Amino acid sequence: MDKIVIKGGQALHGEVLASGAKNAALPILASALLADGTSTYRNVPDLADVATMLKVLRTMGCDAERDKETTDVCRVGVNGHITPEAPYDLVKTMRASVLVLGPLVARFGRARVSMPGGCAIGARPIDQHLKGLKALGADIHLTEGYVEATAKQLKGGTVNFDVITVTGTENVMMAAVLAKGRTLMENCAREPEVEELAKVLNKMGARIEGAGTSSIIIEGVDGLKPVEHAILPDRIEAGTLLVAAAISGGDVLVKRVVPEHMDALVEKLREAGCTITTEGSGLRCKAPQRLDAVNITTTEHPGFPTDMQAQLMALMSVSQGTSVISENIFENRFMHVPELHRLGADITIQGPTAVVKGVKGLSGAPVMATDLRASASLILAGLRAEGRTDVSRVYHLDRGYERLERKLSALGADIRREKA
């Protein structure tokens, strides 16, 4: 098992490219099930979660591989002979595996998918996925830890989500494109990744309007065709790199981003005193002489993303003043706090709220990653901490960041990966 070793105190400078978005790549790879033939995807990040999704597709009978020469290219071939099942051994390691449910029942009339696992950051039930599929006429049964869905032909209907759900919106949208008639989806997730999936489905021949808003209208079609598409940049990885510049006292240009996808984060970084400028398709973050405390409330897009909460907490731990961070998406997403305490942070948890009193400095120590974004926050804190910080259990990191330690090293960080 690997660990990341950091010697803090180096200000980061230079330019770095953001990788493709994990949270866009996973549903888009699943959408290949909707058409016979081979779909080709570019700018696909080389991540553990992507490897898992490709393995899920191979288990079903797809030809799903990453190009050995052009490593950011993945191809998924579907020949119609599919075993419509996603087994527990794979789904338990990555919650996004459930995204095959909608395409399978829409295209092949049946699906058997294990109940999902993933990061232990709180309850993330799939009841809204199942509600949406039922509204389209699917027959749903839960047996022995599996969801079994069947339908001779899905029919368009009205789906009003009780709560906003990104993967639920994506799953039902993929099912509805092959349903007979019109589907109206209300209270949909508005994340850029949802809009990106709709863009891909429309390139395949679907008829989707309204993606990126709370109401999506879909006119079902008889069939789709394979597609070529380049995955959009990862706004969470890009945001993490901007915070790395801020917490280290540096000046970094993160290239190949979509700046408007990052408005909520940019606003908070500016409020903290950072200078953020747009340069072409990139964002530059120049750290201030001192960081000011800011308050953060996570909420659905276009609000402040929960996936950046842990990273901003690390930044606020060395700010001047007191920050109040309210987590409204996942109830267990403060598991990084005890590890930040080990580095010298002053953080008090009060239910869904963390009160962060900025300290002058952090001190390196051995810490343990508890989930994907927590691992990033500990690395960020290690960049600032005096002395050596060892971050263990970085398999969490590898689920969502493509060689983050190499990108930080190229910017001047003293950071390396070792065997634990």
Side-chain angles (χ1 to χ4, degrees):
M1 192 177 295
D2 290 353
K3 66 179 179 180
I4 300 291
V5 178
I6 309 155
K7 290 183 181 177
Q10 301 297 317
L12 304 189
H13 292 88
E15 300 179 357
V16 62
L17 285 176
S19 299
K22 172 185 87 96
N23 289 338
L26 298 177
I28 287 170
L29 289 171
S31 75
L33 290 164
L34 291 165
D36 269 352
T38 298
S39 291
T40 301
Y41 308 106
R42 301 184 304 280
N43 200 32
V44 182
D46 188 6
L47 303 172
D49 276 8
V50 171
T52 298
M53 181 60 82
L54 293 173
K55 191 171 183 181
V56 168
L57 293 169
R58 286 196 297 273
T59 299
M60 295 177 183
C62 300
D63 181 12
E65 299 291 346
R66 184 177 292 277
D67 193 298
K68 291 178 181 173
E69 294 182 1
T70 311
T71 57
D72 73 335
V73 172
C74 289
R75 294 182 177 87
V76 180
V78 183
N79 61 13
H81 302 292
I82 295 296
T83 302
E85 179 170 335
Y88 170 72
D89 285 349
L90 291 176
V91 179
K92 72 178 181 180
T93 66
M94 185 186 71
R95 183 179 185 274
S97 305
V98 77
L99 285 163
V100 301
L101 182 61
L104 287 176
V105 71
R107 174 98 194 282
F108 302 100
R110 62 191 179 95
R112 187 172 187 266
V113 177
S114 173
M115 295 291 284
C119 279
I121 58 174
R124 294 192 283 178
I126 62 168
D127 59 312
Q128 298 301 301
H129 303 231
L130 305 185
K131 174 185 176 179
L133 293 175
K134 285 180 181 178
L136 301 182
D139 188 19
I140 306 287
H141 294 282
L142 303 179
T143 57
E144 299 178 341
Y146 279 78
V147 176
E148 296 185 353
T150 56
K152 288 185 178 180
Q153 169 70 65
L154 293 177
K155 295 180 173 59
T158 298
V159 179
N160 196 332
F161 293 109
D162 299 317
V163 295
I164 296 174
T165 162
V166 174
T167 52
T169 299
E170 292 167 339
N171 228 341
V172 177
M173 184 164 63
M174 287 190 282
V177 295
L178 292 181
K180 190 173 182 63
R182 170 178 285 204
T183 296
L184 172 63
M185 298 168 57
E186 297 279 17
N187 199 30
C188 299
R190 300 162 59 188
E191 271 71 4
E193 295 79 15
V194 173
E195 195 171 359
E196 180 82 344
L197 174 61
K199 183 185 298 184
V200 171
L201 294 172
N202 283 339
K203 287 171 71 171
M204 296 173 74
R207 297 171 62 190
I208 304 170
E209 295 180 356
T213 75
S214 59
S215 296
I216 298 175
I217 297 173
I218 302 170
E219 295 285 351
V221 298
D222 292 333
L224 300 177
K225 61 183 184 297
V227 70
E228 287 195 18
H229 185 77
I231 306 296
L232 88 170
D234 194 316
R235 61 195 172 98
I236 304 302
E237 186 207 40
T240 302
L241 292 166
L242 292 174
V243 175
I247 200 168
S248 71
D251 182 353
V252 172
L253 174 63
V254 183
K255 302 175 73 174
R256 199 169 59 191
V257 304
V258 184
E260 56 266 31
H261 290 170
M262 303 174 64
D263 286 347
L265 171 64
V266 166
E267 179 184 342
K268 289 300 176 182
L269 288 174
R270 285 177 173 153
E271 194 178 329
C274 299
T275 301
I276 309 291
T277 53
T278 302
E279 299 185 16
S281 63
L283 285 172
R284 178 181 295 278
C285 178
K286 186 173 182 180
Q289 289 288 327
R290 64 168 200 178
L291 287 161
D292 294 324
V294 299
N295 297 329
I296 299 159
T297 299
T298 66
T299 186
E300 295 85 359
H301 190 81
F304 191 89
T306 181
D307 280 354
M308 284 302 305
Q309 177 258 106
Q311 298 92 309
L312 259 289
M313 184 180 290
L315 185 66
M316 290 300 97
S317 71
V318 291
S319 67
Q320 299 229 359
T322 298
S323 304
V324 177
I325 299 177
S326 299
E327 173 58 60
N328 292 322
I329 305 299
F330 296 124
E331 69 273 17
N332 290 343
R333 208 158 202 176
F334 286 150
M335 292 193 295
H336 47 282
V337 170
E339 302 304 301
L340 289 174
H341 284 164
R342 291 178 52 78
L343 299 174
D346 184 348
I347 305 169
T348 304
I349 299 175
Q350 301 171 356
T353 299
V355 178
V356 186
K357 295 180 180 179
V359 297
K360 289 185 178 180
L362 301 174
S363 179
V367 291
M368 180 177 67
T370 53
D371 60 73
L372 169 55
R373 305 307 173 186
S375 61
S377 77
L378 296 176
I379 288 173
L380 293 172
L383 294 175
R384 179 65 176 257
E386 183 178 342
R388 171 171 165 157
T389 298
D390 289 29
V391 183
S392 62
R393 295 178 67 180
V394 294
Y395 58 85
H396 289 294
L397 184 81
D398 297 336
R399 289 185 50 228
Y401 289 93
E402 186 174 28
R403 292 179 280 277
L404 180 62
E405 74 280 4
R406 294 188 192 178
K407 293 187 177 185
L408 294 173
S409 177
L411 294 172
D414 188 342
I415 183 172
R416 65 185 184 276
R417 181 180 289 252
E418 290 185 356
K419 291 295 181 184

